[in-house]
């Protein structure tokens, strides 16, 4: 069994709201995203999904790559890969297209060096970007997870949220088609293989959704992978929900294997999803049960305020740290949780 058998009424769940947030990433401050308790519509049909069978989806907020992660392994094989690791160094990629997603987010498409190349990334993995402005003493380096399929040929795509006083995100937002960005990879994270777990849960905030999308997309793109996926995605407003259309397509195509629960701090008047902030009660209701052991995995990615409340932060880029927060209180073990 993948989750609790009985759901408590939404009105009862809304009584367990606990507020927490943090500022957008500025110099000397934290990131910003708000999370919420579940609304009535967010739970509709969830019991049938969680018990049903099969039927016919840097990251910003993630820690910088560790020294260990930066030791990129060289790739082998017949597939032509742009990012080969090892001593390759940074590639200078040309921006092909810049598209506005919302008030502070853009989708950037970069050309790989050759049209028949794949990125060379595995699931899940990221890249690091480098930029040194004319008045900077040292270059800025930031990790990002592409949203394009790892086997997509010729281009690689990113969703980039612009933060105040964020030198890399501001630089990337200011790029015009034809200009270049230094990119290096892959930076391996959690290495996924088909059916590695029976059920995974993705708890994300803001642009922390990018490694979640990379993982979910790989699962549902592979007809041999039967993994169930539950997404809990917190944002400030409805327009901040990234990749919502793509996740909706997964939910419509695989209703017995994929469910998404969206929660907003500032929902519109007619919003039918969760309102407020993520609560322990919400997670208890929609996540697979901890007693399932190695059959499940919980992934967390978002700003510091989210990690603190949900899972505790990473001790260092290479050290997951101890499990804390709601997930520990709900009985999950350190081995059942991965923090991007």
């Amino acid at each position: 069994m993948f989750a609790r058998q009985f759901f408590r009424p939404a009105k009862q769940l809304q009584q367990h709201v606990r507020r927490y947030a943090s500022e957008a990433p500025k110099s000397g401050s934290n990131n910003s995203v708000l999370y919420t308790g579940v609304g009535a519509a967010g739970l509709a049909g969830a019991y049938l999904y969680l018990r049903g069978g099969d039927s016919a989806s840097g990251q910003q907020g993630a820690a910088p790559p560790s020294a260990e992660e930066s030791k990129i392994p060289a790739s082998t094989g017949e597939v032509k890969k742009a990012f080969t690791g090892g001593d390759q160094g940074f590639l200078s990629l040309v921006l092909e297209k810049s598209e506005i997603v919302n008030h502070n987010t853009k989708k950037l498409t970069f050309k790989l060096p050759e049209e028949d190349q794949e990125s060379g990334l595995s699931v899940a993995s990221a890249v690091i970007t480098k930029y040194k402005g004319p008045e900077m003493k040292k270059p800025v380096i930031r990790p990002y997870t592409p949203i394009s399929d790892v086997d997509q040929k010729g281009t690689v795509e990113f969703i980039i949220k612009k933060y105040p006083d964020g030198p890399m995100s501001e630089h990337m937002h200011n790029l015009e088609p034809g200009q270049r960005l230094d990119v290096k990879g892959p930076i391996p994270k959690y290495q996924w293989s088909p059916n590695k777990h029976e059920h995974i849960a993705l708890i994300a905030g803001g642009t922390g959704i990018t490694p979640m999308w990379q993982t979910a997309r790989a699962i549902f793109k592979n007809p041999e992978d039967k993994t169930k996926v539950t997404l809990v995605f917190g944002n400030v407003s409805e327009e901040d929900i990234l990749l919502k259309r793509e996740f909706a397509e997964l939910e419509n195509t695989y209703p017995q294997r994929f469910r998404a629960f969206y929660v907003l701090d500032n929902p519109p008047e007619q919003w039918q999803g969760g309102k407020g902030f993520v609560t322990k009660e919400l997670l208890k209701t929609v996540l697979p049960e901890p007693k399932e052991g190695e059959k499940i995995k919980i992934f967390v990615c978002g700003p510091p305020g989210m990690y603190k409340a949900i899972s505790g932060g990473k001790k260092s880029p290479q050290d997951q740290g101890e499990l804390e927060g709601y997930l520990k209180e709900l009985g999950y073990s350190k081995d059942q949780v991965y923090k991007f």
Side-chain angles (χ1 to χ4, degrees), residues 240-255:
D240 293 316
I241 302 176
L242 303 176
L243 299 167
K244 186 178 181 182
R245 182 180 63 182
E246 289 82 352
F247 281 116
E249 183 177 348
L250 290 184
E251 197 165 22
N252 291 332
T253 306
Y254 306 96

Side-chain angles (χ1 to χ4, degrees), residues 273-292:
K275 303 174 183 179
F277 302 87
V278 165
T279 64
K280 182 170 68 173
E281 192 65 40
L282 166 62
L283 300 180
K284 181 180 180 181
T285 301
V286 304
L287 299 187
E289 294 187 75
K291 70 179 183 181
E292 296 295 326

Side-chain angles (χ1 to χ4, degrees), residues 96-262:
E96 180 179 76
K97 190 188 317 181
S98 176
E99 303 170 80
I100 296 176
V101 176
N102 61 27
H103 63 104
N104 63 3
T105 306
K106 285 187 175 182
K107 178 182 177 182
L108 303 180
T109 302
F110 290 89
K111 294 181 181 179
L112 297 176
E114 299 179 29
E115 292 184 356
D116 59 347
Q117 283 182 322
E118 298 179 4
S119 67
L121 274 64
S122 59
V123 179
S125 61
V127 298
I128 53 176
T129 60
K130 182 175 69 172
Y131 163 67
K132 186 177 184 298
E135 299 182 0
M136 293 181 178
K137 294 182 179 180
K138 296 181 180 180
V140 176
I141 295 178
R142 294 288 186 270
Y144 292 97
T145 301
I147 61 165
S148 48
D149 290 346
V150 295
D151 60 355
Q152 179 171 300
K153 294 185 184 298
T155 58
V156 61
E157 302 166 359
F158 300 89
I159 285 182
I160 306 297
K161 181 176 180 179
K162 183 178 179 180
Y163 289 108
D165 300 320
M168 180 60 78
S169 65
E170 288 187 357
H171 172 67
M172 294 179 73
H173 267 242
N174 291 333
L175 286 175
E176 297 290 342
Q179 293 183 312
R180 294 176 176 270
L181 180 71
D182 289 339
V183 186
K184 180 180 181 179
I187 308 296
K189 296 294 182 177
Y190 189 85
Q191 296 306 291
W192 181 259
S193 58
N195 303 301
K196 190 171 185 176
H197 306 286
E198 290 185 6
H199 191 171
I200 65 172
L202 313 174
I203 306 174
T207 50
I209 195 64
T210 55
M212 310 305 196
W213 168 251
Q214 187 187 68
T215 303
R217 172 62 178 164
I219 289 172
F220 290 103
K221 187 179 179 180
N222 184 353
E224 302 301 320
D225 198 332
K226 305 302 181 182
T227 306
K228 287 190 175 185
V229 181
T230 296
L231 171 67
V232 178
F233 190 13
N235 286 281
V236 176
S237 65
E238 187 172 14
E239 69 173 342
D240 293 316
I241 302 176
L242 303 176
L243 299 167
K244 186 178 181 182
R245 182 180 63 182
E246 289 82 352
F247 281 116
E249 183 177 348
L250 290 184
E251 197 165 22
N252 291 332
T253 306
Y254 306 96
Q256 302 301 323
R257 288 179 53 207
F258 180 78
R259 284 286 291 178
F261 298 89
Y262 300 102

